[in-house]
Amino acid sequence: MLKNVSYNNPKQEDEINNFVGKPFSLIERLKMKGIGSGKLLIVSASKEIENLLILDQNINQCNIERRPKGILIYFRVLLETYALIIPYYKLVIFKVDSDVYTIHIDHRKVKIKVKSNKDHEFFRNILNEKANLKILNLVKNGQLLDLILGLKA
């Protein structure tokens, strides 16, 4: 889901919070050693996002915010801020090159170039968070035991 988040809109904020969870509290952020990435370079994107990015002549950069049930990819176009909202169950990440990742949701994609080991660690944390959430959901639904027993049989 792609949204213009430039302006304070409580309805939109509630919709985002329902989709990917409320932002982490200050204590949780400190325990997690941060929830946001640094500036990441957008190499390419799907048509809809690319059409927004070509409106200005600036370097196409983004940053990523982790939430309890997903991530938000923020980028600026002209004077507007856009967010690509991705819940973990729709998130697909590919490591294309040693320093390039592609993030997919449905028919949208963003290809991102990372600069440092800290950025690579951030992507590992996102994937770990996604895996942990999937395990928690299996435990809540009582399917984890079935899965384990199915693998042993």
Side-chain angles (χ1 to χ4, degrees), residues 19-34:
F19 213 52
V20 292
K22 290 186 176 186
F24 291 108
S25 69
L26 180 62
I27 294 170
E28 290 172 319
R29 290 176 190 207
L30 293 173
K31 284 181 184 176
M32 297 170 79
K33 298 178 183 168

Side-chain angles (χ1 to χ4, degrees), residues 39-43 59-62 111-113 115:
K39 285 186 178 179
L40 304 170
L41 185 66
I42 299 175
V43 177
I59 296 173
N60 297 329
Q61 295 179 335
C62 68
K111 193 179 223 180
I112 295 172
K113 183 172 185 175
K115 299 174 187 172

Side-chain angles (χ1 to χ4, degrees), residues 92-138:
V92 179
I93 298 177
F94 294 108
K95 188 170 184 180
V96 178
D97 204 359
S98 62
D99 60 349
V100 178
Y101 292 89
T102 55
I103 300 173
H104 294 262
I105 174 178
D106 299 335
H107 60 280
R108 294 186 179 104
K109 77 171 179 109
V110 179
K111 193 179 223 180
I112 295 172
K113 183 172 185 175
V114 298
K115 299 174 187 172
S116 66
N117 286 337
K118 194 172 183 180
D119 296 332
H120 288 289
E121 185 179 327
F122 182 78
F123 275 95
R124 275 194 300 274
N125 289 339
I126 289 174
L127 292 172
N128 288 339
E129 189 96 11
K130 178 182 176 179
N132 291 341
L133 186 68
K134 189 169 187 172
I135 290 172
L136 283 174
N137 286 337
L138 287 173

Side-chain angles (χ1 to χ4, degrees), residues 2 10 30-31 37-38 71 78-79 81 84 107 111 124 136:
L2 184 63
L30 293 173
K31 284 181 184 176
S37 70
I71 64 171
L78 298 174
L79 298 174
T81 303
L84 183 61
H107 60 280
K111 193 179 223 180
R124 275 194 300 274
L136 283 174

